[in-house]
Amino acid sequence: MKRSAQQLREHAQAIWQAGIDAVAPDRLVRAAVRVRGGQLLLGALRLPLDAIGQIRVVGAGKAGAAMSQAVERVLGERLLEEKRVVGWVNVPDRSVAPLEHIHLHGARSAPDNQPTRAGVEGSRAIREMIESAGPNDLCLCLLSGGGSALLPAPVPGISLEDKQAITGMLHAAGATIVEMNAVRKHVSELKGGGLARRFHGRWLASLIISDVVGDRLDTIASGPTAPDATTYADALRVLEKHGLLGRNAARAAPAAVVRHLQAGAAGAHSETLKRLPRTVHNMVIGNNATALAASERAARRLGYRVCNLGSCIEGEAQQAGVVLAGITRGVRAERHPIAPPACILSGGETTVSLGLEHGTGGRNQELVLAALQHLGPEELRDTVILSGGSDGEDGPTDAAGAWGDELLLRRARRQGLDPADFLRRHDSYHFFLPLGGLVRTGLTDTNVMDLRVMLVGAQESVTRR
């Protein structure tokens, strides 16, 4: 059955949204946390309620507000009062809402993942709540994507401005999240297992929504409750790799950061946590694969054959866009890896390496634009490509991502908008803005990296599979 361009766009949006809905924090927390028969069930962990003193809730991340709300609902009024539940969770300003027992602290106003003064103040409150835990207390730590920026606790001698500067430099240089976190963990009091090290209660259970490839616990939110394999020397190598060290560096890292890392590499500072205490339990309750599986089910219900490329797409956004465009060509011309009507799904998270001067955009917008540029209008016939950040944010913009098809690209040509020019200037936002090609969802209150949907329609009817 041939689908119209409008139908393809609507289907792409529905398939993408099905993935986002599957990683809604309320759904994930309710599946992981249950109260049953005098026990609190946390994944496979079974805790007798009468052995728990006070319950403390801390955390940071874009999903923190929704996770906190879900925790209060699951525990219920009786347990909230009986266990004297208190909490402090750092979240984006727009996610702040009043809760009964858990304080949601606005720690970031702009969509640029930069640490803020409010974040430092909130991190200090979290540290105090952790350090004051009694011997029988349980701490629930709610972690999700964006937690690194929302949990800034610079070590003595390093200012917030230093952390902001090094974070911005690494992001502009196209550093991967693993590289950025190797540096951030070694200039922070709470990252790299620092939060777990400060807890002396009976149980610390982290409920984690993963926003990194491979669900690495040491990388999600910079691993505040996980062991860290990186060292001060590794952090210095990251700075050197991206040209931020030495007299000839185009953009020199803050001197205080360099001095601290060098001193640490020489043994003057304690390393990050290397062994996980037996009292600490980490549980990934949702990830990109969860979203992709739901999107796959939605696509099959709509009559598409599905090829799920998985959650590990990384690298430069433009290069990834070209690769995905090549897969689209294979579907159209060779019916490989699947025949139309086809849905190609992929997840993961790409990067954009920016120069000193650049336009506005995000990795998802740039990826879609690169795919459109590579295919051209003829090869986009009966095809739509959509890519969006699961958190509703894509770079420092008000969009989650972008979509494109033949009609959009032809409108761009009529308006004199050259994809190659916008790609060269990393200005994808202003390419899609006048064409109506931006995906705007607002904050989704979750974060499991990016989700991409490519649909290739068909002329003839096929049997649904």
Side-chain angles (χ1 to χ4, degrees):
M1 178 180 67
K2 180 175 174 57
R3 295 161 171 84
S4 68
Q6 180 64 28
Q7 286 177 314
L8 287 171
R9 289 194 294 271
E10 291 174 354
H11 286 178
Q13 179 65 43
I15 292 166
W16 186 85
Q17 189 62 50
I20 304 305
D21 292 343
V23 290
D26 182 76
R27 176 181 296 184
L28 298 176
V29 169
R30 285 177 177 274
V33 182
R34 289 166 291 164
V35 179
R36 180 184 300 169
Q39 292 183 319
L40 179 61
L41 309 183
L42 302 171
L45 190 64
R46 298 174 179 270
L47 308 181
L49 288 172
D50 58 7
I52 299 173
Q54 184 177 21
I55 296 178
R56 297 162 183 258
V57 182
V58 299
K62 296 178 180 179
M67 294 177 78
S68 298
Q69 292 169 352
V71 165
E72 287 200 355
R73 292 193 191 103
V74 170
L75 294 180
E77 290 185 12
R78 184 181 66 83
L79 270 185
L80 288 170
E81 294 297 332
E82 182 180 308
K83 297 304 178 181
R84 297 172 289 117
V85 175
V86 294
W88 188 293
V89 178
N90 284 1
V91 299
D93 291 1
R94 288 178 289 175
S95 297
V96 172
L99 299 181
E100 291 296 323
H101 293 259
I102 302 171
H103 174 71
L104 299 179
H105 178 71
R108 197 204 76 187
S109 58
D112 57 8
N113 280 334
Q114 282 280 14
T116 66
R117 184 68 57 191
V120 173
E121 294 170 356
S123 298
R124 186 178 300 117
I126 289 172
R127 184 182 63 199
E128 292 172 356
M129 185 169 289
I130 283 289
E131 292 176 338
S132 63
N136 292 318
D137 288 353
L138 163 68
C139 179
L140 297 178
C141 185
L142 312 179
L143 299 175
S144 56
S148 285
L150 289 164
L151 196 65
V155 296
I158 292 180
S159 67
L160 172 64
E161 291 72 24
D162 291 331
K163 286 202 70 173
Q164 290 173 328
I166 193 61
T167 300
M169 289 177 181
L170 289 169
H171 187 269
T176 67
I177 189 171
V178 174
E179 291 173 332
M180 293 182 70
N181 286 348
V183 175
R184 291 191 285 199
K185 284 185 284 190
H186 285 88
V187 296
S188 171
E189 291 189 321
L190 296 181
K191 296 177 172 66
L195 192 150
R197 197 193 315 244
R198 286 167 170 77
F199 178 72
H200 302 292
R202 191 165 186 179
W203 298 284
L204 191 161
S206 282
L207 307 178
I208 302 167
I209 298 179
S210 172
D211 71 326
V212 302
V213 171
D215 300 337
R216 289 182 52 175
L217 297 177
D218 62 332
T219 302
I220 303 164
S222 294
T225 63
D228 173 39
T230 67
T231 64
Y232 283 101
D234 293 329
L236 285 169
R237 280 190 284 270
V238 170
L239 299 187
E240 184 175 12
K241 172 185 174 180
H242 292 287
L244 303 177
L245 277 183
R247 294 180 179 179
N248 297 324
R251 303 177 68 186
V257 171
V258 176
R259 284 196 303 269
H260 179 80
L261 295 179
Q262 289 174 335
H269 304 307
S270 297
E271 260 293 353
T272 48
L273 184 70
K274 301 307 177 190
R275 294 186 61 184
L276 190 67
R278 296 179 64 181
T279 55
V280 179
H281 307 268
N282 291 305
M283 294 166 277
V284 175
I285 64 172
N287 56 16
N288 193 257
T290 307
L292 284 172
S295 288
E296 180 171 347
R297 292 191 294 270
R300 292 190 186 281
R301 286 195 298 269
L302 289 169
Y304 293 91
R305 298 184 175 95
V306 179
C307 176
N308 185 342
L309 300 178
S311 304
C312 298
I313 303 297
E314 296 181 281
E316 284 290 322
Q318 290 193 28
Q319 296 173 3
V322 171
V323 170
L324 295 180
I327 295 173
T328 301
R329 278 178 172 163
V331 171
R332 291 175 59 88
E334 303 170 7
R335 304 170 72 83
H336 181 80
I338 53 177
C343 173
I344 309 296
L345 297 173
S346 65
E349 189 166 289
T350 60
T351 56
V352 177
S353 297
L354 300 172
L356 294 178
E357 296 184 6
H358 55 81
T360 302
R363 59 185 181 269
N364 290 284
Q365 297 162 56
E366 186 141 327
L367 183 149
V368 173
L369 185 54
L372 299 184
Q373 158 73 5
H374 194 67
L375 289 170
E378 291 300 323
E379 289 186 294
L380 280 168
R381 187 166 299 161
D382 298 323
T383 298
V384 63
I385 301 173
L386 185 153
S387 183
S390 59
D391 56 358
E393 295 182 324
D394 189 31
T397 75
D398 60 357
W403 64 269
D405 62 5
E406 175 195 3
L407 298 179
L408 182 140
L409 191 54
R410 291 193 184 280
R411 287 202 304 275
R413 290 189 172 185
R414 288 195 297 270
Q415 295 181 32
L417 303 177
D418 180 8
D421 178 49
F422 285 87
L423 285 171
R424 184 168 51 251
R425 294 184 284 111
H426 299 295
D427 197 25
S428 52
Y429 181 86
H430 291 110
F431 175 87
F432 288 108
L433 179 62
L435 301 171
L438 294 171
V439 176
R440 286 189 170 112
T441 63
L443 291 181
T444 62
D445 291 326
T446 191
N447 189 12
V448 295
M449 300 188 289
D450 300 331
L451 185 60
R452 307 177 200 94
V453 180
M454 298 189 299
L455 299 182
V456 181
Q459 297 287 336
E460 71 278 7
S461 300
V462 299
T463 301
R464 294 188 179 187
R465 295 180 58 186

